[in-house]
Amino acid sequence: MTADSQLTVLSNYDILKRTLHKDGISFVLQAGARYARGVWFDSRHGTRTSTRIALTEKLTIAGDRETGHDLVPMPVGPFYDALRKFHVPTEGTFIDFGAGNARVLLLAAEFGFRSVVGVEFAKELCELGEENIAAYRKRRGDGLEARMVCIDAALYEIQPDERVFFFFNPFDADVLRPVIANIERSVAVRPRDAWIIYSKPRHEEVLESLPNCWEKAGETTYRGFSRIIAYRSRP
């Protein structure tokens, strides 16, 4: 049985019907334009990152299934735009928590990061992410350092070279809290210029409790999508 057979892909029709009922036609048109840009990204690189995937009982999970959220692809435009607006540097390793199909890792590589790591607790999504990384490397033919780590995010050990930590609303506050604490602890032990980027920040209160050496570096809102906030640690 393949990993793909375990993935429950949400149909575009169901998503359209649900979104139209909830948010209206203007939101749907903007979301559609962003979806099209993601499909174009996939067509350029031979990847599969544009589908929403439900977190179902079929998936093999390394952690508490109830704390995770369905895989929703990060829109291409808001990702690039936010990192530019916040002036996020590309030195060091970029980490995406709840990396899913590795789209954000590939966007980070396009943005200029040479080392990226995806942390994901669903085995089948890790395998899909690895396939997308391999396809991207085949088209690009460069020396990108990229890998997926299949682990409960709260158990991931932060490394000293990791500087940018990205979250696209991947899990509940019960998981986000220890992950942020691990980042905070690592930066305290090995002081460095580090960033936390939080897209669709449903549990922003967790970041608001960071110590004074962290500061809010920016916030931006995208019509038809959501907010993205950034916190920065100054060594």
Side-chain angles (χ1 to χ4, degrees), residues 74-128:
M74 177 67 199
V76 176
F79 177 86
Y80 289 148
D81 185 65
L83 266 62
R84 291 190 188 101
K85 282 185 176 180
F86 301 149
H87 303 291
V88 177
T90 56
E91 291 81 12
T93 297
F94 177 101
I95 307 294
D96 180 26
F97 285 98
N101 55 27
R103 169 180 278 191
V104 166
L105 298 185
L106 305 184
L107 295 180
E110 289 283 289
F111 189 75
F113 287 91
R114 306 312 307 149
S115 176
V116 296
V117 176
V119 179
E120 172 58 51
F121 79 159
K123 174 177 175 291
E124 292 80 4
L125 292 180
C126 278
E127 292 172 356
L128 177 57

Side-chain angles (χ1 to χ4, degrees), residues 14-219:
D14 289 339
I15 295 169
L16 174 62
K17 184 170 65 174
R18 183 192 315 167
T19 307
L20 186 60
H21 175 74
K22 178 183 176 184
D23 301 303
I25 187 63
S26 177
F27 184 99
V28 168
L29 290 174
Q30 292 178 56
R34 292 195 176 109
Y35 174 78
R37 187 171 180 183
V39 171
W40 179 73
F41 177 90
D42 282 340
S43 68
R44 284 179 59 214
H45 300 294
T47 52
R48 295 184 298 152
T49 69
S50 295
T51 53
R52 295 190 180 198
I53 298 175
L55 191 64
T56 69
E57 296 295 331
K58 294 181 180 180
L59 299 182
T60 305
I61 301 298
D64 183 357
R65 186 186 309 272
E66 298 302 317
T67 62
H69 300 162
D70 291 347
L71 170 62
V72 178
M74 177 67 199
V76 176
F79 177 86
Y80 289 148
D81 185 65
L83 266 62
R84 291 190 188 101
K85 282 185 176 180
F86 301 149
H87 303 291
V88 177
T90 56
E91 291 81 12
T93 297
F94 177 101
I95 307 294
D96 180 26
F97 285 98
N101 55 27
R103 169 180 278 191
V104 166
L105 298 185
L106 305 184
L107 295 180
E110 289 283 289
F111 189 75
F113 287 91
R114 306 312 307 149
S115 176
V116 296
V117 176
V119 179
E120 172 58 51
F121 79 159
K123 174 177 175 291
E124 292 80 4
L125 292 180
C126 278
E127 292 172 356
L128 177 57
E130 289 167 351
E131 291 174 6
N132 283 325
I133 290 170
Y136 179 85
R137 280 179 171 146
K138 186 176 180 180
R139 292 285 181 95
R140 285 290 301 267
D142 58 13
L144 173 67
E145 295 182 14
R147 63 190 177 96
M148 298 288 293
V149 180
C150 191
I151 192 174
D152 184 332
L155 301 179
Y156 180 76
E157 186 174 345
I158 308 297
Q159 301 301 311
D161 66 321
E162 296 168 354
R163 290 177 176 264
V164 180
F165 304 92
F166 189 88
F167 302 82
F168 180 23
N169 187 35
F171 31 64
D172 291 345
D174 289 344
V175 177
L176 181 62
R177 195 169 289 109
V179 173
I180 296 299
N182 290 341
I183 296 171
E184 177 189 336
R185 189 178 307 112
S186 173
V187 172
V189 172
R190 294 289 296 272
R192 57 193 185 274
D193 188 10
W195 293 75
I196 296 173
I197 313 296
Y198 191 6
S199 178
K200 205 171 184 179
R202 290 187 178 176
H203 306 290
E204 185 176 356
E205 72 278 1
V206 176
L207 272 65
E208 290 173 347
S209 66
L210 283 164
N212 291 336
C213 61
W214 289 82
E215 63 181 11
K216 191 169 185 178
E219 174 178 336

